[in-house]
């Protein structure tokens, strides 16, 4: 099948005269965790509901692991596992009986050995034969992951998966997803929790008022966040250093300067080049401190740029 486990093109949803999602395109590949970021009401859940077939699309196409959602709906759905909002189970039944119930509904045969395999994967061995009503929220979330991966899908989708989880539960969930991605699964996560998405995702797109305003197709999330940093040089001769920066490094603007300190914006490569130039010109570099931008910084930078364009 295709290296792209999800390909969304010109995805559009209108309700009456209101355009809820407008002409959205993105692709998710095997082995990657893709974050769909945006504030509440931006259109993230609507996009996920269209991809999973829960609501109709006004326009556009969805391909899941090479299968067209319109032409091969059943085959496309067989490649998909999803938790949209909170996972729901029969609380009076054990975790195992819930998984057996879902296994019987699957279009592909799921063996008891496969159930044991996913239970071990999500670390529910100790509780799988207890009733779900005794489970914590984190345990129910892990049972949801187990249910979603029973049939070995190529694509997993989670909508706000860490809502209500404590820090330990969030970390465990993140570790489970990274393990699944390492085994070849493509994962789509929507969230507004930017700090957590930075730790979890390989790549991301930003949705604002139904529009895809940012999608770095060929870069990893860490590369995007680390692209331009705030760098503080402590040097022996600030005046000469500033002249070098103005002459040789015009793309690295000086933010602030003091008696022995220069603060500027620079990429990692520019920082190394600036340091070499200072040393070449007999300027002693006593210290270099780098403050990396967070995904939150990047998110607000992009959304503010978009707001200025629309004014």
């Amino acid at each position: 099948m295709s290296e792209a486990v999800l390909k969304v093109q010109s995805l559009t949803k209108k309700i009456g005269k209101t355009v809820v999602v407008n002409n959205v395109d993105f692709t998710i590949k095997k082995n990657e965790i893709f974050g769909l970021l945006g504030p509440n009401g931006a259109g993230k859940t609507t996009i996920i509901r269209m991809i999973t077939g829960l609501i109709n699309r006004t326009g556009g196409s969805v391909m899941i692991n090479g299968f067209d959602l319109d032409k091969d709906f059943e085959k496309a759905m067989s490649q998909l596992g999803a938790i949209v909002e909170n996972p729901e189970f029969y609380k009076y039944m054990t975790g195992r009986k819930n998984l057996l119930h879902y296994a019987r509904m699957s279009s592909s045969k799921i063996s008891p050995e496969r159930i044991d395999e996913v239970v071990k994967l999500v670390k529910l061995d100790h509780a799988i034969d207890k009733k779900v009503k005794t489970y914590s929220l984190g345990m129910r979330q892990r049972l949801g992951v187990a249910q979603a991966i029973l049939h070995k899908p190529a694509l997993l989708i989670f909508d706000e998966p860490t809502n209500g989880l404590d820090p330990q539960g969030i970390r465990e969930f993140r570790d489970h997803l990274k393990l699944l991605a390492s085994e070849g699964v493509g994962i789509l996560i929507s969230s507004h929790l930017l700090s957590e998405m930075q730790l979890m995702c390989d790549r991301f797109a930003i949705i604002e008022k139904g529009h895809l305003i940012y999608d770095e197709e060929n870069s990893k999330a860490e590369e995007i966040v680390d692209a331009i940093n705030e760098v503080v040089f402590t040097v022996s001769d600030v005046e000469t250093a500033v002249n070098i920066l103005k002459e040789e490094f015009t793309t690295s603007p000086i933010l602030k300067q003091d008696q022995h300190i220069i603060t500027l914006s620079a990429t990692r490569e520019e920082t190394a080049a600036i340091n070499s130039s200072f040393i070449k010109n007999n300027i002693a570099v006593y210290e270099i401190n780098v403050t990396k931008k967070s995904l939150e910084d990047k998110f607000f930078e992009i959304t503010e740029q978009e707001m200025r364009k629309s004014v």
Side-chain angles (χ1 to χ4, degrees):
M1 285 282 109
S2 170
E3 280 298 310
V5 294
L6 176 65
K7 190 170 185 179
V8 169
Q9 291 183 304
S10 303
L11 197 63
T12 301
K13 178 66 178 178
K14 293 180 182 177
I15 299 176
K17 294 183 179 180
T18 304
V19 180
V20 181
V21 174
N22 190 11
N23 207 34
V24 166
D25 299 295
F26 61 86
T27 300
I28 300 176
K29 300 169 187 174
K30 293 179 181 178
N31 298 103
E32 90 171 333
I33 302 176
F34 181 89
L36 192 59
L37 311 182
N40 290 331
K44 303 186 303 296
T45 297
T46 301
I47 288 170
I48 284 177
R49 286 180 174 276
M50 285 191 282
I51 293 169
T52 55
L54 293 174
I55 60 173
N56 293 327
R57 285 164 279 134
T58 305
S61 64
V62 176
M63 299 284 288
I64 301 177
N65 206 29
F67 295 108
D68 189 302
L69 197 60
D70 293 326
K71 297 175 183 176
D72 292 299
F73 182 82
E74 288 187 11
K75 288 181 179 178
M77 287 295 101
S78 72
Q79 302 294 311
L80 171 66
I83 300 177
V84 181
E85 298 173 351
N86 293 324
E88 293 294 335
F89 296 99
Y90 296 104
K91 294 180 181 178
Y92 63 89
M93 290 166 52
T94 66
R96 186 182 302 277
K97 286 184 177 178
N98 270 280
L99 292 182
L100 284 167
H101 174 68
Y102 282 106
R104 283 193 290 268
M105 293 192 294
S106 175
S107 58
S108 58
K109 185 175 174 58
I110 296 171
S111 67
E113 290 76 22
R114 174 59 181 168
I115 292 176
D116 290 337
E117 184 183 336
V118 298
V119 167
K120 187 175 180 180
L121 182 67
V122 300
K123 297 181 181 178
L124 273 179
D125 321 49
H126 66 290
I128 196 62
D129 292 308
K130 294 179 181 178
K131 290 184 178 180
V132 171
K133 67 181 179 182
T134 67
Y135 284 17
S136 66
L137 179 58
M139 291 167 69
R140 289 201 301 274
Q141 198 77 315
R142 279 186 275 160
L143 187 63
V145 174
Q147 178 264 313
I149 64 175
L150 270 177
H151 59 296
K152 298 183 180 180
L155 172 67
L156 283 173
I157 296 179
F158 299 101
D159 186 19
E160 300 285 358
T162 57
N163 274 358
L165 293 182
D166 60 21
Q168 182 179 347
I170 291 173
R171 182 172 183 174
E172 288 175 355
F173 183 78
R174 184 199 316 145
D175 291 342
H176 293 322
L177 293 197
K178 288 184 175 180
L179 178 60
L180 290 169
S182 73
E183 295 180 346
V185 179
I187 300 172
L188 168 62
I189 301 176
S190 87
S191 183
H192 63 279
L193 300 177
L194 302 180
S195 58
E196 184 52 41
M197 294 291 269
Q198 182 169 347
L199 294 172
M200 196 181 294
C201 297
D202 299 309
R203 196 161 55 86
F204 67 92
I206 297 176
I207 301 292
E208 174 72 20
K209 296 179 181 176
H211 293 264
L212 188 73
I213 62 171
Y214 187 86
D215 177 18
E216 189 66 26
E217 179 63 31
N218 298 311
S219 295
K220 297 292 187 182
E222 283 303 315
E223 293 171 356
I224 297 161
V225 172
D226 292 347
I228 299 177
N229 305 309
E230 187 174 282
V231 185
V232 180
F233 281 91
T234 305
V235 297
S236 60
D237 184 350
V238 166
E239 187 177 346
T240 304
V242 167
N243 288 334
I244 290 169
L245 288 169
K246 288 179 178 178
E247 290 174 11
E248 299 180 23
F249 301 96
T250 55
T251 59
S252 300
I254 297 169
L255 305 176
K256 188 169 59 176
Q257 66 184 76
D258 212 332
Q259 188 175 358
H260 291 290
I261 293 173
I262 302 170
T263 304
L264 51 91
S265 290
T267 64
R268 185 170 58 178
E269 291 75 16
E270 287 168 341
T271 301
I274 290 166
N275 184 50
S276 296
S277 184
F278 285 169
I279 293 169
K280 192 186 300 181
N281 286 277
N282 298 315
I283 299 170
V285 178
Y286 301 123
E287 194 174 2
I288 303 174
N289 287 309
V290 179
T291 303
K292 294 181 178 179
K293 286 186 178 181
S294 68
L295 184 55
E296 185 177 77
D297 294 331
K298 187 67 178 177
F299 176 83
F300 286 116
E301 180 184 309
I302 292 166
T303 51
E304 284 168 9
Q305 286 174 359
E306 194 66 22
M307 284 176 65
R308 285 196 293 271
K309 286 180 189 175
S310 61
V311 172

